[in-house]
Amino acid sequence: MPNAFDSANYPSLEPSRLVVGDRWAWKRADLSADYPTATYSLKYSLRLAGTTASEIEITAAETGGEYVVEVPSATTAAYTAGTYLWQAYIVRTADSERVAVGSGTITVVNNNDVSTADPRGHARKVLAAIEA
């Protein structure tokens, strides 16, 4: 398994699954050709599905001509597990105008090492209840 702390090994797209309390990291090198890091920035907005108040905002760093996302464990430890709808957007530094460049869903799961929540999914819980 490659070293997940080495930015050379970061996934090149947004992940589909993240863990509360883990370090989150990925990069988007594909955007810098059209949106150079010197004059644009990449930002993310993640909103917990079914809520209006729970938003995670992430700003990517501009490193070596790539947009690099790194969110420390101490920060993600405070996040709520669930399905998040995300949107990525490029912001023009000169005037703060923005354009959306991607969207999707990310499942954020509990860290089983510290969570007291039942780690089984809904289907497993229902099956266990039926079998009981």
Side-chain angles (χ1 to χ4, degrees):
M1 173 186 232
N3 183 341
F5 291 98
D6 183 348
S7 62
N9 298 323
Y10 289 176
S12 59
L13 291 174
E14 298 79 9
S16 60
R17 184 179 179 276
L18 295 166
V19 178
V20 170
D22 275 7
R23 181 174 181 273
W24 297 357
W26 67 89
K27 60 186 172 184
R28 289 295 306 265
D30 61 319
L31 296 172
S32 58
D34 292 326
Y35 303 102
T37 59
T39 51
Y40 298 91
S41 61
L42 173 63
K43 297 188 177 199
Y44 286 87
S45 173
L46 287 74
R47 188 166 305 276
L48 186 59
T51 69
T52 57
S54 191
E55 181 183 20
I56 298 171
E57 293 181 356
I58 301 170
T59 300
E62 292 92 20
T63 306
E66 296 180 326
Y67 293 103
V68 178
V69 174
E70 294 175 311
V71 184
S73 299
T75 301
T76 70
Y79 294 159
T80 302
T83 300
Y84 284 79
L85 307 173
W86 64 266
Q87 182 177 30
Y89 50 95
I90 291 288
V91 178
R92 188 169 49 197
T93 307
D95 57 7
S96 299
E97 288 293 315
R98 68 178 229 180
V99 293
V101 292
S103 63
T105 60
I106 294 176
T107 302
V108 177
V109 298
N110 282 317
N111 177 344
N112 289 335
D113 188 40
V114 295
S115 175
T116 58
D118 187 343
R120 298 176 299 166
H122 177 71
R124 293 251 181 234
K125 290 176 189 176
V126 171
L127 178 61
I130 291 170
E131 289 175 341

